[in-house]
Amino acid sequence: MMGARRRTFAWALPGSVYASWLLAGTAIFLAPGHFHALTPGVALFGPFNAHFIRDVGLVYVASGLIGLYGVRTASGPLCVAAALWSCLHAVLHLHVWVDRGLPLDGIFLFDLSFVIVPPFLVILVLLTCRGKPQMGP
């Protein structure tokens, strides 16, 4: 019983992150102007570009859907693949933070909380559970 509970918990975090990516991506796609205006740091990268912002939203939608399917089918490789773009996106945000002089401001705290930590936490959980019998939900 304890093993099943532990396996379920191991899939809960990635599933929650993938669901949040799906919801966020949908919101970004449907309201790119709000995303540009309200997300800390986005306006620093130039004027509003609905096409580009919607592209980013669709990447989050795709990552969320692929990740949720990976969780549903207990496919570790699919779950890792779903997190890959977000990991690379997080590395870009770390690079931007370094270029900005490492300020501990609201932009960095937002990035840390919503862009940087979640994909790497998902990968950490997936790697921790890798190779264990009956990893699925």
Side-chain angles (χ1 to χ4, degrees):
M1 177 68 174
M2 185 61 151
R5 184 176 296 160
R6 193 172 291 145
R7 284 188 302 275
T8 300
F9 177 75
W11 286 101
L13 178 88
S16 297
V17 171
Y18 297 137
S20 72
W21 288 346
L22 175 59
L23 293 173
T26 302
I28 291 167
F29 180 79
L30 294 175
H34 283 90
F35 174 77
H36 186 267
L38 300 175
T39 305
V42 171
L44 296 174
F45 290 96
F48 175 72
N49 181 332
H51 180 103
F52 178 72
I53 292 172
R54 283 189 166 125
D55 282 347
V56 171
L58 290 175
V59 173
Y60 271 112
V61 167
S63 293
L65 288 172
I66 292 166
L68 288 171
Y69 183 73
V71 168
R72 176 79 172 106
T73 61
S75 172
L78 202 54
C79 286
V80 170
L84 181 60
W85 177 83
S86 288
C87 286
L88 295 173
H89 184 223
V91 170
L92 172 66
H93 278 252
L94 286 170
H95 175 74
V96 167
W97 179 58
V98 170
D99 279 353
R100 291 178 54 233
L102 308 173
L104 296 176
D105 58 4
I107 295 170
F108 175 69
L109 293 176
F110 180 87
D111 282 354
L112 190 66
S113 301
F114 297 104
V115 178
I116 297 167
V117 170
F120 289 110
L121 194 56
V122 165
I123 296 297
L124 180 65
V125 167
L126 293 170
L127 290 176
T128 301
C129 295
R130 194 180 90 202
K132 295 191 177 160
Q134 297 176 344
M135 192 171 137

